[in-house]
Amino acid sequence: SVALVSKDKRSFTIDKEVAKQSEFIKNLIEDLQSDSVTLDEVDGETLEIIVNWLNLLKQQPPYTEEYQPTTLEDWEKPILS
């Protein structure tokens, strides 16, 4: 697991593979070689939304060259709209 820490010091523990669904977070984890990553530009409320979205995303098929949806899925709409 990895701890994602917001600029207001809220911490969210999430499975590392789930967190790596975000290329940005994946790069931070790999660059910092750490199990704790501070996101200096993200407040706790926003980071909570991101973590919830990543946890929901893990239940979906992975994006591939063949599968790249161009519209929001029903489960994404309340989070992303």
Side-chain angles (χ1 to χ4, degrees), residues 12 20-21 32 38-39 54 57-59 67 72 77:
F12 300 87
K20 286 182 175 182
Q21 293 175 110
L32 298 174
T38 300
L39 302 164
L54 289 170
L57 189 62
K58 76 178 179 183
Q59 300 168 20
Y67 176 71
L72 292 177
K77 289 177 185 175

Side-chain angles (χ1 to χ4, degrees), residues 14-15 30 43 48 52 72:
I14 186 172
D15 181 83
E30 291 173 355
D43 64 49
E48 183 175 12
N52 288 338
L72 292 177

